[in-house]
């Protein structure tokens, strides 16, 4: 696939399942205390810096709304127009936009924080640097990025593709991902690795990397 084909395939796939996705995951944070705690810490760091927060790959907007509830000036961006429409319906007082993570319509250094919760997983490895460069570009000095993704089966494996339920996705070595962040001026400040439950269909570790722009 070319880059255009990749983006189009992902957008169309999520457009097609947007309503089902929104219903399935509308309250998923209720059963994820570790993630809620990390979002709380992220919010505290961002509030100290001051400024807006972009939830990239926001889907139907439930995490954007959660960040807003934590006192952040949060807005969502998603490639799927249907997801954005659902987010606007669920959160009429919040801001949601259709956009690409690799070409954000945001001014340089405008944000205090960026959240990317599993939204980089459909980005082919060769295209990920462009996304990380955009995250670094829109963050103000001292701003924070919190990025979540599934880990590879071993530290020596840089990246692995897998058959995601929606469209092809990619796992990353946490060390390699942190190295890519450093290459774009983002220094890792914390890392949370969550082991899968025995009942989980996919036995992937979940990684949450918190990084700060110098």
């Amino acid at each position: 696939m070319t880059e255009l084909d990749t983006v189009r395939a992902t957008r169309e796939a999520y457009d097609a399942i947007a309503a089902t996705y929104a219903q399935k995951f509308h309250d998923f944070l209720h059963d994820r205390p570790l993630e809620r705690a990390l979002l709380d810490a992220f919010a505290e760091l961002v509030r100290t810096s001051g400024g807006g927060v972009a939830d990239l790959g926001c889907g139907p907007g439930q995490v954007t709304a959660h960040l807003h509830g934590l006192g952040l000036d949060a807005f969502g961006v998603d490639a799927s127009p249907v997801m954005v429409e659902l987010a606007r319906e669920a959160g009429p007082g919040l801001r949601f936009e259709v956009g690409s993570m690799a070409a954000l319509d945001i001014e340089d250094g405008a944000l205090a924080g960026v959240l990317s919760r599993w939204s980089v997983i459909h980005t082919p490895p060769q295209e990920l640097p462009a996304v990380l460069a955009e995250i670094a570009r829109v963050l103000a000095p001292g701003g924070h990025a919190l990025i979540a993704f599934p880990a590879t089966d071993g530290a020596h494996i840089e990246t692995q593709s897998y058959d995601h339920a929606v469209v092809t996705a990619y796992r990353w070595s946490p060390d390699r991902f942190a190295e890519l962040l450093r290459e774009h001026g983002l220094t890792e400040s914390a890392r949370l690795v969550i082991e899968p439950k025995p009942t989980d269909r996919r036995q992937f570790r979940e990684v949450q990397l918190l990084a700060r722009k110098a």
Side-chain angles (χ1 to χ4, degrees):
M1 284 189 174
T2 66
E3 180 179 0
L4 180 61
D5 288 339
T6 302
V7 173
R8 181 185 299 115
T10 301
R11 181 181 65 248
E12 291 177 352
Y14 276 98
D15 277 347
I17 57 92
T20 300
Y21 184 99
Q23 182 177 17
K24 182 176 181 179
F25 294 108
H26 75 281
D27 62 349
F28 75 98
L29 282 173
H30 177 75
D31 296 322
R32 298 180 67 86
L34 289 176
E35 186 162 357
R36 291 200 311 272
L38 189 55
L39 288 172
D40 286 348
F42 173 71
E44 183 173 345
L45 290 168
V46 171
R47 283 196 301 268
T48 301
S49 302
V53 178
D55 177 11
L56 303 183
C58 65
Q62 69 274 46
V63 180
T64 314
H66 183 79
L67 294 176
H68 181 75
L70 293 175
L72 300 182
D73 179 17
F75 66 96
V77 179
D78 202 278
S80 164
V82 180
M83 285 287 196
V84 168
E85 184 59 32
L86 290 173
R88 289 170 176 167
E89 291 175 2
L94 301 178
R95 171 184 161 200
F96 295 98
E97 301 174 352
V98 177
S100 167
M101 292 189 296
L104 296 168
D105 186 19
I106 301 171
E107 294 182 2
D108 294 359
L111 301 180
V114 169
L115 176 69
S116 171
R117 187 191 175 279
W118 290 69
S119 57
V120 298
I121 66 172
H122 300 301
T123 303
Q126 68 274 16
E127 297 170 18
L128 183 63
V131 172
L132 299 184
E134 275 294 271
I135 291 174
R137 181 185 67 78
V138 299
L139 276 175
H144 300 272
L146 179 57
I147 304 177
F149 55 92
T152 53
D153 292 328
H156 63 288
I157 304 174
E158 182 173 301
T159 185
Q160 292 173 283
S161 63
Y162 67 98
D163 186 18
H164 189 276
V166 181
V167 66
T168 301
Y170 301 87
R171 298 189 277 157
W172 281 89
S173 157
D175 290 341
R176 177 54 181 152
F177 203 102
E179 182 180 334
L180 288 172
L181 288 172
R182 286 195 301 273
E183 290 174 2
H184 291 87
L186 300 170
T187 302
E188 179 184 357
S189 52
R191 179 185 304 191
L192 174 66
V193 180
I194 303 174
E195 296 294 335
K197 299 175 183 177
T199 55
D200 288 346
R201 184 171 68 90
R202 295 192 186 277
Q203 292 295 296
F204 299 160
R205 291 175 301 146
E206 177 182 330
V207 181
Q208 306 253 358
L209 282 181
L210 181 65
R212 182 180 183 273
K213 182 176 177 179

